[in-house]
Amino acid sequence: MTTTTLDIAISHRVAVVWMARETVRNAFNEASIAELTETFTTLGADPDVRAIVLAGKGPAFCAGADLGWMKRMASFTHQENRADALKLATMLRTIYECPKPVIARVHGDAYAGGVGLVAACDIAVAAIGAEFCLSETKLGLIPATIGPYVIRAMGANAARRYFLTAEKFDAGEAFRLGLVHDLAPLRNLTCASTLFLEP
């Protein structure tokens, strides 16, 4: 599998999918959306893979949508914007419905669509210093495509608050709300085969 926005490592039947756009804090664009969809489809069907870890290289897990991509989208037609939204929805559904367990390894910032990625995973483990924010309202947008996953993960009342206020919240609050399942110092975000270690 050849990718330009992801690094994929498989060891001990666990695949680690590293988002590898460090210069933009792993913000996703049309290329990374397509590659995440294809990668999770392929790994989900691979009998030699028993679990998948989703992680981010560099200082952040995922900053949401790439602003350069969003600026280009401003000139798109209604049909083109709808098609892009459907591709994002397909990516999230592919991760959510993956037949293999998917574990989010969260460090640094998880903003906007990055929160959606966390919510689409089966299990989320966050570094104690991780920060979360549903920041779309600051851009005059609503977190529509990620909304169903975030609501399932943290509950409707909490989601309504953070959708509207775009407040930052820390890993402890994410744990309290159920968005993440466990917390650890970044150096301890490991599994049996040490696949969660920093890249």
Side-chain angles (χ1 to χ4, degrees), residues 71-196:
K71 286 176 182 175
R72 292 196 303 276
M73 289 172 64
S75 64
F76 285 5
T77 65
H78 173 76
Q79 289 79 8
E80 288 171 326
N81 270 295
R82 180 176 172 79
D84 260 10
L86 287 172
K87 289 173 185 173
L88 175 58
T90 298
M91 177 195 75
L92 291 166
R93 187 174 67 249
T94 300
I95 295 171
Y96 183 74
E97 294 181 352
C98 183
K100 309 294 171 63
V102 180
I103 302 141
R105 175 213 185 266
V106 187
H107 77 289
D109 295 336
Y111 280 15
V115 177
L117 286 174
V118 174
C121 294
D122 298 305
I123 299 168
V125 181
I128 290 169
E131 281 202 331
F132 301 80
C133 184
L134 290 151
S135 54
E136 290 89 341
T137 55
K138 293 180 179 179
L139 301 173
L141 303 171
I142 59 171
T145 310
I146 66 170
Y149 303 98
V150 176
I151 290 168
R152 281 192 199 104
M154 67 164 55
N157 283 343
R160 188 179 300 119
R161 168 185 171 174
Y162 289 109
F163 285 172
L164 291 172
T165 65
E167 297 169 74
K168 291 181 184 178
F169 56 101
D170 63 19
E173 177 70 354
F175 176 75
R176 187 186 72 80
L177 294 171
L179 177 64
V180 302
H181 301 91
D182 209 350
L183 305 175
L186 180 59
R187 66 183 179 275
N188 292 343
L189 280 185
T190 62
C191 66
S193 55
T194 70
L195 288 169
F196 283 43

